[in-house]
């Protein structure tokens, strides 16, 4: 297992498109290169310690899912194979060491500014809203549901993409006012179809996809699925064998990190403390386990 981590990439001759909490995205003109670093965030704060293999696992998971759902929608995915990427984009050659194995080449699109969230279980902001209103984003739910309960059927609960701070939950009607009723219907239908297919598969492999977030873009007038796909960074992954409704669930990937931070007495405002090595190694193993469990693959030799 590699123990080196990449916390931030540096590529002076490339145009940086965006540096997110976890990913560094480079603008290649018609394409983007989405580089998943080994950064990890907890309680919305980026930690100073990287997780070996995390970036590679995230990229491989997205790659797996883009292929898995390709019959349902066009996607932005082009390649995650470094040799193929470098062959089509020679300007990337100097950065092979930083980028290979953790990067995905995608088609650049016009982003539709909505987070298309699907929930199959009641957690996070959905659970908070339900307790106040018995509804989430305007979707009424039965009375008496407990935290982490499975919903009668998956629901579409959109949110706005906010540049700073938390995304805001909105109703389907508000989404329709922002981007049109026809596009709203299309994104809702696609989101539910992708979630339904993927979550049934994940559950058969012992992982509950409690909820997830999709993003879509437009290219040549066509709607395209973009961004990362069904990773633990864009979704809640719960280990099925430990599932117990009526309380918060352990996170498949971040359980050791959260436990450590809770016990450390850290006040959850930056800067976060460094993680001890045992937490780092256990967490790295969890990401590799998620990849293995979902795809049957280990890490390709780098
Ligand atoms: N094919 C694409 N075309 C255009 N933009 C894309 C495409 N795929 C992803 N993006 C955009 O690239 C950006 C990736 O940023 P990233 O997700 O790393 O950071 P973020 O969303 O700002 O913050 P966070 O780390 O909290 O997710 C997002 O704004 C996403 O909408
Ligand atoms: Mg993002």
């Amino acid at each position: 297992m590699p123990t080196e981590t990449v916390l931030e990439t540096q590529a002076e001759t490339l145009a940086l498109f965006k540096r997110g909490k976890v990913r560094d995205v480079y603008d290649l003109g018609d394409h983007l290169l989405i580089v998943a670093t080994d950064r990890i965030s907890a309680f919305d704060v980026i930690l100073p310690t990287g997780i070996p293999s995390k970036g590679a696992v995230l990229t491989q998971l997205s790659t797996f899912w883009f292929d898995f759902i390709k019959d349902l929608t066009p996607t932005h995915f082009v390649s995650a194979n470094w040799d193929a990427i470098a062959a089509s984009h020679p300007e990337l050659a100097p950065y092979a060491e930083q980028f290979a194995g953790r990067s995905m080449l995608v088609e650049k699109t016009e982003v539709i500014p909505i987070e298309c969230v699907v929930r199959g279980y009641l957690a996070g902001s959905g659970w908070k809203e339900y307790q106040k209103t018995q509804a989430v984003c305007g979707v009424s739910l039965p009375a008496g549901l407990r935290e982490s309960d499975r919903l009668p059927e998956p629901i579409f609960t959109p949110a706005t993409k906010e540049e700073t701070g938390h995304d805001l939950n909105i109703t389907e009607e508000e989404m329709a006012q922002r981007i049109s009723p026809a596009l709203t219907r299309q994104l809702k239908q696609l989101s539910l179809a992708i979630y339904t297919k993927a979550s049934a598969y994940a559950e058969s492999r012992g992982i509950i996809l409690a909820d997830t977030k999709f993003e879509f873009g437009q290219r040549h007038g066509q709607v395209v699925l973009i961004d990362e796909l069904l990773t633990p960074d864009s979704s809640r992954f719960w280990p099925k064998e430990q599932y117990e409704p009526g309380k918060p669930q352990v996170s498949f990937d971040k359980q050791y990190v959260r436990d450590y931070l809770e016990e450390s007495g850290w006040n959850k405002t930056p800067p976060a403390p460094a993680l001890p090595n045992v937490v780092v190694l256990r967490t790295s193993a969890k990401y590799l386990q998620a990849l293995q469990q979902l795809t049957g693959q280990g890490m390709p030799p780098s």
Side-chain angles (χ1 to χ4, degrees), residues 34-36 53-60 63 80-83 85 96-104 299-302:
I34 302 185
V35 185
S53 303
K54 177 173 184 264
V57 166
L58 292 186
T59 297
Q60 291 206 50
T63 299
N81 177 297
W82 180 252
D83 292 339
I85 295 172
E97 211 171 308
Q98 292 184 70
F99 291 173
R102 61 175 73 251
S103 303
M104 191 165 79
M299 285 280 274
S302 50

Side-chain angles (χ1 to χ4, degrees), residues 17-25 32 34 76 106-111 115 161 163 213 215 226-228:
F17 179 80
K18 165 127 216 193
R19 217 188 279 285
K21 281 203 284 291
V22 171
R23 292 167 308 151
D24 294 346
V25 183
L32 297 174
I34 302 185
H76 70 162
V106 303
E107 289 182 337
K108 187 156 77 183
T109 68
E110 296 278 336
V111 178
E115 309 252 321
K161 278 169 70 72
E163 270 311 308
K213 179 229 31 163
E215 289 186 37
I226 65 167
D227 209 55
E228 64 186 317

Side-chain angles (χ1 to χ4, degrees), residues 1 40 51-54 57 61 206-207 232 237-242 250-257 278-294:
M1 187 172 21
I40 186 169
I51 303 297
S53 303
K54 177 173 184 264
V57 166
L61 276 175
I207 293 178
F237 279 32
W238 292 340
K240 191 178 173 189
E241 57 183 17
Q242 289 171 58
V250 289
S251 153
F252 191 98
D253 50 307
K254 287 187 184 167
Q255 48 185 294
Y256 302 119
V257 171
V278 57
V279 174
V280 170
L281 292 178
R282 280 190 188 160
T283 302
S284 178
K286 281 313 245 185
Y287 282 96
L288 289 163
Q289 187 191 340
L291 179 68
Q292 168 71 40
Q293 226 168 293
L294 283 171

